[in-house]
Amino acid sequence: MIIQIKEDINSKELNELNSALSELKIESYPVKTQKGHYHICTPKSEFDIRNIGQLTGILDVHRVSGKHKMVSQKWKVGQTTIDIGDNIKIGNGHFAMMAGPCSIESEEQIENTVQCLKKNGVRIMRGGVYKPRTSPYSFRGLGHSGLKMFYKTCHENGIKIITEIMEEKQIESMMPYVDIFQVGARNAQNFNLLEALGDVDKPVLVKRGISGSIDELLYSAEYIFKNGNEKIILCERGIRTFETSYRNTLDLNAVPILKKKSHLPVVVDPSHGIGIREHVSQMTLAAVATGCDGILIEIHKKPNEAATDAQQTIGFDEFSKLSNKVNALRAVLES
Ligand code: PEP
Ligand code: MN
């Protein structure tokens, strides 16, 4: 159950609510986000909802059966729109293409990518500066100086950025230079990081865990929401299965299922999803056809020379052709 509380609730009304809940032996978790004030309750047995609904100070009471509460479709009318600023939005009919290298490598690389994005009307650039790598001896990103350079060059060109955060203690230093925080597959269940990102007022894209279920992804989002941040984007990026012919199994079934279960926007990362350059464009179009709210894709001027994930990175010409096809496909889907 989700109790939506009035913005201007006074302490007397709040005490009345708390005593009504304790009389009914209902445990409740207060949640305060950028958009509202709620009490999440997990009652153990049925009770008359009017006992709560009639209290002053209450806006609405929603019965939300099932495991997920705040991220559930069951209480929220309509889909969530994430506003990135400067008229860039994701979700609820707004589609976002997010493209860029796996890793930020140099100023020149940022500049040539920005030109490619602008040519294709893309307004969000991806790029990692803190890279989770399987081997500790691999390139692990340019770090904070790379982030500042990435942010500056993009913002001078009207482009927003999305970049991966690896740990809680990076939040403070990254905060001024990030438009969307990305939580990678390896950190999808780093609950301390998720909770800490619940305290910030910036959009967070959460990737599905390497072996994560759809429900686990929703719980990850619930951690962020419960701590106060409603600006969450879900990302399908492929899961590890018994199949070895490609890097991951891109689970496109997840898109309609997530969109049915949750009001949050759902984007797809076809690059990590299949991990093979020659098939990334096909899988992007397949993802768009599912009705997802955006794409996160790896591109590079010289894809073979990309510092990380070269095998799944596409070149600028291919990306331009793909962008045109994505736009044409979306026009067909909307007609
Ligand atoms: C990435 O986006 O480059 C990345 C490391 O992704 P994932 O967390 O999905 O592996
Ligand atoms: Mn990558």
Side-chain angles (χ1 to χ4, degrees):
M1 180 174 69
I2 296 174
I3 305 169
Q4 251 180 305
I5 293 165
K6 283 189 184 150
E7 202 63 64
D8 56 356
I9 191 167
N10 59 40
S11 53
K12 184 169 163 279
E13 290 169 324
L14 202 54
N15 286 340
E16 277 167 4
L17 169 65
N18 287 330
S19 6
L21 290 171
S22 60
E23 224 161 89
L24 291 161
K25 297 195 171 44
I26 299 174
E27 231 178 297
S28 88
Y29 303 87
V31 170
K32 206 165 185 170
T33 71
Q34 306 98 340
K35 296 187 189 150
H37 187 174
Y38 318 86
H39 266 52
I40 319 290
C41 307
T42 47
K44 297 206 171 36
S45 53
E46 282 297 310
F47 70 97
D48 190 341
I49 208 162
R50 285 170 298 188
N51 288 331
I52 307 283
Q54 51 141 18
L55 295 172
T56 56
I58 304 300
L59 216 49
D60 218 337
V61 182
H62 310 269
R63 264 190 203 284
V64 183
S65 56
K67 302 179 276 195
H68 310 104
K69 303 294 176 198
M70 302 305 291
V71 302
S72 170
Q73 183 71 265
K74 288 185 183 154
W75 72 279
K76 203 161 177 214
V77 185
Q79 296 284 321
T80 292
T81 310
I82 310 291
D83 194 342
I84 318 291
D86 295 333
N87 215 18
I88 305 172
K89 295 181 179 145
I90 307 181
N92 194 20
H94 301 275
F95 183 89
M97 179 65 92
M98 297 175 268
C102 178
S103 304
I104 296 300
E105 296 161 15
S106 66
E107 175 118 52
E108 189 198 338
Q109 176 218 33
I110 301 166
E111 276 162 6
N112 62 42
T113 309
V114 160
Q115 291 320 315
C116 171
L117 298 186
K118 281 168 102 171
K119 196 177 114 197
N120 290 291
V122 173
R123 303 199 57 199
I124 306 174
M125 178 164 160
R126 62 145 290 147
V129 292
Y130 298 111
K131 296 302 301 175
R133 302 306 305 277
T134 303
S135 161
Y137 308 114
S138 307
F139 174 61
R140 293 170 76 188
L142 292 184
H144 193 65
S145 60
L147 176 64
K148 280 165 84 173
M149 177 169 77
F150 180 21
Y151 182 86
K152 184 170 177 283
T153 307
C154 285
H155 275 243
E156 281 167 3
N157 284 281
I159 304 270
K160 305 283 181 187
I161 73 159
I162 172 166
T163 194
E164 179 163 358
I165 177 158
M166 302 260 291
E167 51 181 338
E168 209 182 320
K169 68 172 193 240
Q170 291 169 335
I171 293 180
E172 204 181 318
S173 61
M174 288 179 77
M175 195 62 184
Y177 307 105
V178 169
D179 298 301
I180 307 173
F181 282 108
Q182 174 178 324
V183 176
R186 289 154 195 82
N187 270 313
Q189 286 194 313
N190 179 342
F191 301 120
N192 293 335
L193 176 63
L194 297 171
E195 279 192 326
L197 288 168
D199 283 334
V200 311
D201 189 15
K202 283 257 163 108
V204 180
L205 176 144
V206 195
K207 288 200 174 190
R208 183 172 176 182
I210 289 176
S211 302
S213 68
I214 289 174
D215 276 348
E216 283 166 341
L217 174 59
L218 290 170
Y219 272 131
S220 302
E222 189 87 28
Y223 265 94
I224 302 173
F225 206 131
K226 184 185 160 286
N227 249 35
N229 188 357
E230 295 199 18
K231 301 174 182 175
I232 309 163
I233 302 160
L234 305 171
C235 179
E236 164 59 38
R237 50 77 74 197
I239 45 173
R240 184 171 284 175
T241 68
F242 53 80
E243 186 52 69
T244 53
S245 307
Y246 36 74
R247 184 175 181 181
N248 288 302
T249 298
L250 182 61
D251 177 15
L252 291 181
N253 292 344
V255 180
I257 301 295
L258 282 168
K259 287 187 70 111
K260 179 124 195 218
K261 288 187 177 220
S262 176
H263 53 81
L264 297 171
V266 180
V267 309
V268 174
D269 172 349
S271 307
H272 294 83
I274 188 158
I276 304 168
R277 183 185 304 147
E278 70 173 298
H279 300 304
V280 166
S281 289
Q282 288 163 275
M283 296 313 290
T284 304
L285 294 170
V288 172
T290 63
C292 66
D293 300 292
I295 293 289
L296 186 68
I297 187 170
E298 290 180 340
I299 66 169
H300 197 283
K301 187 176 178 189
K302 294 182 180 159
N304 273 327
E305 291 172 25
T308 54
D309 282 349
Q311 80 290 349
Q312 66 193 31
T313 298
I314 63 167
F316 289 172
D317 285 347
E318 180 170 355
F319 178 66
S320 296
K321 284 188 198 127
L322 177 62
S323 284
N324 291 337
K325 286 186 190 166
V326 166
N327 293 339
L329 177 56
R330 289 194 51 244
V332 171
L333 293 170
E334 279 164 18
S335 63

